[in-house]
Amino acid sequence: MKTMLRLSVILASLALVIMPASAAPKGGQRPSPSRSLIGPQGTLAESHYRPRVRLALGKATGQRLPLVATFSTMRGHVDRIEVRVDGKVIGTLKPAKPLSSGEMSTAIDLAKVGPGPHRISLWAWQGREGYRRLHGESKTVKW
């Protein structure tokens, strides 16, 4: 009997809860036309065309550090991949033919880089006409 009484009190208290007008869901509002075209998921958004690139480092042997670049883009192709150490371009990888996704490997000559800790990253440049200024960056690896 007590559980039935508690249950009815709980149900009565839940029925009395009134949602304020400011917390009510906003139905029917749409984003502005410019936001829906240029926004992060819009049809003209530049992020759709931005290539993606990942960096994987191998084990250093002597004065060479092997690395593998895995890249992809949704539209167009990747024109080139730049290898950057501390923000400076030390090498460029170019696919033999236009590829929208793939994998390329190379090695960094450690004699050119110098001693001490460094930050290594890759930049993949878009090869689609009209979007060549766009690039995607890999996560920076401290080495």
Side-chain angles (χ1 to χ4, degrees), residues 3-4 9 16-17 19 41-42 44 49 51 65 67 73 76 78 80 84 86 96 99 101 105-107 133 142-143:
T3 57
M4 291 295 287
V9 170
L16 293 177
V17 175
M19 190 166 46
Q41 298 299 318
L44 298 178
Y49 305 105
L65 178 66
L67 65 89
T73 185
V78 173
R80 66 186 185 279
R84 293 180 175 244
D86 298 329
L99 295 173
S101 65
S105 60
T106 187
R133 72 183 189 284
K142 294 179 183 177
W143 176 79

Side-chain angles (χ1 to χ4, degrees), residues 37-55:
L37 285 174
I38 304 171
Q41 298 299 318
T43 54
L44 298 178
E46 292 182 345
S47 61
H48 283 292
Y49 305 105
R50 199 170 292 279
R52 293 171 177 83
V53 62
R54 287 188 171 185
L55 168 66

Side-chain angles (χ1 to χ4, degrees), residues 29-132:
Q29 287 188 353
R30 294 182 183 165
S32 66
S34 63
R35 173 76 175 159
S36 61
L37 285 174
I38 304 171
Q41 298 299 318
T43 54
L44 298 178
E46 292 182 345
S47 61
H48 283 292
Y49 305 105
R50 199 170 292 279
R52 293 171 177 83
V53 62
R54 287 188 171 185
L55 168 66
L57 292 176
K59 199 168 197 170
T61 56
Q63 291 292 316
R64 297 181 63 80
L65 178 66
L67 65 89
V68 177
T70 307
F71 60 91
S72 67
T73 185
M74 293 176 79
R75 297 182 184 155
H77 62 277
V78 173
D79 182 49
R80 66 186 185 279
I81 297 175
E82 294 177 345
V83 180
R84 293 180 175 244
V85 175
D86 298 329
K88 297 178 183 175
V89 179
I90 63 161
T92 304
L93 304 170
K94 288 193 169 243
K97 60 182 181 175
L99 295 173
S100 61
S101 65
E103 192 173 281
M104 298 175 71
S105 60
T106 187
I108 298 174
D109 187 12
L110 298 176
K112 292 181 184 177
V113 177
H118 298 285
R119 294 173 181 254
I120 301 171
S121 64
L122 298 175
W123 284 24
W125 288 89
Q126 176 63 264
R128 185 173 181 217
E129 195 63 43
Y131 296 91
R132 293 182 192 260

